[in-house]
Amino acid sequence: TEIYAKKVDGYNNVYISDKAMIKPKALHNINKATESAIKKIDIDVNNKPTILITDSAEINHAIARYDAANNLISYTPVVGDKKKIVLLQEGHAAEKDPYSTPFHEMYHCKQAQEYEKKHDKITSENHRDYLNDLRAECKKKLDTLGITRENVGSISKYASDMYAIGKYDEVEAEYSILKILRR
């Protein structure tokens, strides 16, 4: 999908889609959450993702999405509204924390960076292989942690749903951000 966007003055690597409207306070909150996640999750500062504020229709009606092939995190403006975002995070790890969604997406960035250290650069051509390899690695980590179908619900309902369909990368992200945000 082609998304037309403009760079935001005063922010590093942040863009707003032509179809999105965001209040300055919400943009500030997203940037603050992103910078906090970069530090706490230990993202390579030389490979920080581009942040795109977009209309939800541009990202399949999600509220946020990480694109590993382009190292791009797309957020809808609601992610920057601390009161509204906690309502939309119900059933997710750290659901009452307004940083839950940005940290979750930033954790996917960390997963991609770790993968690229061991393998090749993630591209649109090898993205399917990346996901398959990542999910296998995450399943091993979850097994080591003792996370099973029976107890995954203690992380979140979303983690339980994702475990059931084999999206172990989502489960690992939920587990990790729950630990980080509960510290």
Side-chain angles (χ1 to χ4, degrees):
T1 306
E2 281 192 12
I3 298 174
Y4 296 96
K6 292 179 182 74
K7 187 168 185 342
V8 180
D9 290 334
Y11 288 96
N12 186 17
N13 218 17
V14 177
Y15 296 81
I16 299 178
S17 160
D18 292 349
K19 294 182 179 178
M21 297 280 293
I22 188 167
K23 293 179 180 177
K25 177 75 172 162
L27 182 61
H28 171 77
N29 289 341
I30 288 172
N31 190 63
K32 187 176 171 187
T34 299
E35 292 303 317
S36 178
I38 286 169
K39 290 178 186 129
K40 291 190 179 185
I41 298 173
D42 194 28
I43 299 296
D44 178 358
V45 292
N46 298 316
N47 194 20
K48 292 187 336 187
T50 299
I51 303 300
L52 174 65
I53 309 303
T54 184
D55 183 78
S56 68
E58 294 176 293
I59 55 170
N60 296 326
H61 301 284
I63 60 172
R65 177 178 175 265
Y66 177 65
D67 173 357
N70 294 304
N71 196 26
L72 171 77
I73 298 179
S74 300
Y75 293 120
T76 56
V78 73
V79 174
D81 185 322
K82 290 182 178 183
K83 289 182 181 158
K84 289 181 182 174
I85 191 62
V86 294
L87 301 173
L88 296 173
Q89 292 175 161
E90 187 175 334
H92 287 74
E95 64 185 13
K96 299 294 183 205
D97 190 318
Y99 283 10
S100 179
T101 295
F103 271 61
H104 180 100
E105 297 309 322
M106 194 60 73
Y107 194 82
H108 286 310
C109 177
K110 177 70 171 180
Q111 289 171 322
Q113 287 182 357
E114 294 300 316
Y115 179 87
E116 287 181 341
K117 283 180 189 174
K118 298 179 202 166
H119 305 281
D120 292 332
K121 171 108 179 84
I122 301 163
T123 64
S124 54
E125 290 78 25
N126 70 9
H127 191 264
R128 174 68 40 213
D129 294 334
Y130 157 67
L131 279 178
N132 290 336
D133 292 347
L134 176 64
R135 288 174 179 163
E137 288 175 22
C138 289
K139 176 67 167 102
K140 287 178 190 173
K141 289 178 189 174
L142 296 171
D143 289 346
T144 301
L145 291 166
I147 297 170
T148 65
R149 183 181 302 271
E150 290 73 32
N151 65 15
V152 69
S154 66
I155 298 169
S156 70
K157 181 182 180 331
Y158 178 73
S160 181
D161 293 346
M162 294 299 102
Y163 193 98
I165 60 173
K167 291 187 175 182
Y168 304 113
D169 55 321
E170 294 290 339
V171 179
E172 182 193 36
E174 286 283 279
Y175 171 80
S176 297
I177 67 127
L178 183 62
K179 281 182 44 183
I180 292 166
L181 291 174
R182 285 219 173 134
R183 279 187 196 151

